[in-house]
Amino acid sequence: MGGWTPTSAALGGPLLLPYPALSWRTGSVVLNRFRRSTIDSEDQQKLDKSLEKTRRGVLGRIGDLFQANEISDELWDELEELLIMGDVGVDTTLKLVEATRTRVRKQGIKSAKDAYVALQEEMVTLLRADAPPLDIDNRNRLLTVVLVVGVNGSGKTTSIGKLARYYRHKGKRVVLAAGDTFRAAAIDQLKVWGDRAKVSVIAHEPGADPGAVVYDAIRASQESRDADILIVDTAGRLHTNFNLMKEMEKIRNVAQRQVHKAPHEVLLVLDATTGQNAVTQAQKFGESVAVTGVILTKLDSTAKGGVVLAIADQLGVPVRFVGTGEKIEDIAEFDPWVFVESLLAHGD
């Protein structure tokens, strides 16, 4: 996707403002030309901390490559090797390195230090930094409906609980819908997380029609609960893509009939510790479900943080949140600029 233009905000993209050349994290000079107009400092720190293991791995060595005075073919070859070893993936690595080399050549960049800056900015572009802002905290909407999809074991239900707490902490009234009716354990688990997040959970008996659950949850959200946000859990595993599409179509239709333009976000939960397998999983879901964003769990537990770049590139949608620990408050809204600076910073 292309970089920011003056018309992107008018077209619904994020409002970007010129940002000083001083990095928020280390005080080092960075040449990112634009940043978001508002960045939550608590989320900055969580995201930065979650990348500690990745920084101690191969990706933490990228900065050392650019300490040389000259830009050489050997530099690009070594960069490719480190990115692939860091779980960025072959296709995304080749795309990223080629984009950086092309930029260096066209802009007449001569120093390795400036080439390093170009690499960082190409990473930011790859991470969909010009994507429209997350459409959940919308004050002009009476009720926002969010569907959460993902396979069992990815951290889907945990992420829903964290999201509920995240938005309740921001002053929003949140309701959860137990749309994964195929497993009794899924309903019980969601209720536990609802209690932890101190939000209401609308649930039916195991085996019930998920569409009926969503219908009742929307009615409750609009009437007795007076909610701002409804987060819907969906089935964690269905036998075929056809079944998955039919189930999601049913839930979508119910939501659309009750709430204008719902669902407003469809978030796919992926486990960062699975590396490139998460990319494959994302592609399969993308074939069946109109995913609008990704929640990447367990980023703090892996040295494979490079997979974030591969997911954004291969799936074509932005990462929206990352799991940064095991506690209910351990979730952070994703920011491409903070991620790249933290990813490439030298270990503390």
Side-chain angles (χ1 to χ4, degrees):
M1 298 177 70
W4 183 85
T5 65
T7 59
S8 67
L11 295 173
L15 176 62
L16 304 180
L17 298 175
Y19 192 80
L22 191 65
S23 165
W24 68 269
R25 182 181 184 275
T26 62
S28 61
V29 174
V30 294
L31 300 180
N32 291 336
R33 293 166 296 176
F34 300 100
R35 274 191 175 275
R36 295 187 187 280
S37 57
T38 57
I39 301 176
D40 187 294
S41 60
E42 183 178 353
D43 281 1
Q44 285 182 8
Q45 299 301 327
K46 287 181 179 179
L47 181 55
D48 179 50
K49 187 173 179 59
S50 71
L51 288 166
E52 286 181 351
K53 288 188 177 180
T54 297
R55 279 197 298 272
R56 292 199 297 266
V58 293
L59 294 183
R61 290 155 45 192
I62 289 178
D64 295 335
L65 289 180
F66 291 85
Q67 298 303 310
N69 293 322
E70 295 183 359
I71 301 171
S72 64
D73 289 339
E74 288 75 15
L75 181 148
W76 300 120
D77 290 343
E78 290 183 45
L79 176 60
E80 282 187 7
E81 183 178 345
L82 288 179
L83 289 171
I84 292 172
M85 290 172 60
D87 250 339
V88 176
V90 174
D91 291 343
T92 302
T93 291
L94 295 178
K95 179 185 295 187
L96 179 60
V97 173
E98 180 58 31
T100 306
R101 293 188 71 165
T102 298
R103 181 171 173 179
V104 166
R105 184 175 64 254
K106 287 184 175 181
Q107 294 184 359
I109 293 173
K110 300 301 182 182
S111 75
K113 180 180 178 181
D114 289 343
Y116 187 40
V117 172
L119 170 65
Q120 294 176 61
E121 293 187 345
E122 290 300 328
M123 283 184 169
V124 169
T125 299
L126 196 70
L127 289 167
R128 311 289 168 182
D130 56 355
L134 186 66
D135 193 22
I136 294 180
D137 191 1
N138 189 325
R139 298 180 181 181
N140 297 320
R141 187 184 295 130
L142 294 177
L143 179 65
T144 295
V145 179
V146 181
L147 303 188
V148 182
V149 301
V151 301
N152 298 329
S154 63
K156 176 167 62 75
T157 309
T158 301
S159 296
I160 291 172
K162 289 181 176 183
L163 275 182
R165 186 264 175 196
Y166 182 87
Y167 282 107
R168 188 185 66 79
H169 191 64
K170 289 179 174 290
K172 298 297 180 180
R173 294 180 295 274
V174 182
V175 170
L176 306 182
D180 185 356
T181 61
F182 294 91
R183 296 185 305 125
I187 299 173
D188 293 339
Q189 187 182 10
L190 191 68
K191 289 179 178 179
V192 169
W193 279 102
D195 288 341
R196 292 175 182 173
K198 299 179 181 178
V199 300
S200 298
V201 178
I202 307 301
H204 287 191
E205 294 298 317
D209 178 6
V213 176
V214 173
Y215 177 85
D216 286 349
I218 290 174
R219 292 295 298 272
S221 297
Q222 292 173 327
E223 298 171 4
S224 59
R225 304 308 198 279
D226 191 26
D228 301 303
I229 301 170
L230 172 64
I231 304 175
V232 181
D233 189 13
T234 61
R237 181 173 288 114
L238 293 169
H239 296 301
T240 67
N241 283 356
F242 176 76
N243 285 340
L244 178 61
M245 284 190 292
K246 295 297 288 185
E247 196 62 53
M248 292 302 298
E249 182 181 355
K250 180 189 298 183
I251 292 174
R252 279 179 172 276
N253 288 340
V254 169
Q256 286 173 354
R257 285 196 297 268
Q258 301 300 314
V259 181
H260 183 58
K261 292 187 177 180
H264 305 103
E265 292 283 354
V266 180
L267 301 179
L268 171 62
V269 179
L270 297 170
D271 181 346
T273 64
T274 62
Q276 286 298 305
N277 287 336
V279 178
T280 302
Q281 199 178 103
Q283 291 170 332
K284 289 181 178 178
F285 265 93
E287 293 169 0
S288 303
V289 182
V291 174
T292 61
V294 170
I295 302 174
L296 195 64
T297 65
K298 309 173 190 175
L299 187 60
D300 62 303
S301 302
T302 181
K304 299 179 178 181
V307 75
V308 176
L309 292 158
I311 289 170
D313 174 42
Q314 298 297 315
L315 191 58
V317 299
V319 175
R320 295 301 197 180
F321 290 93
V322 293
T324 60
E326 297 181 357
K327 298 177 181 177
I328 194 169
E329 64 269 21
D330 290 337
I331 190 169
E333 194 164 346
F334 184 80
D335 182 279
W337 289 269
V338 175
F339 175 82
V340 170
E341 288 179 12
S342 298
L343 182 72
L344 299 181
H346 290 284
D348 297 326

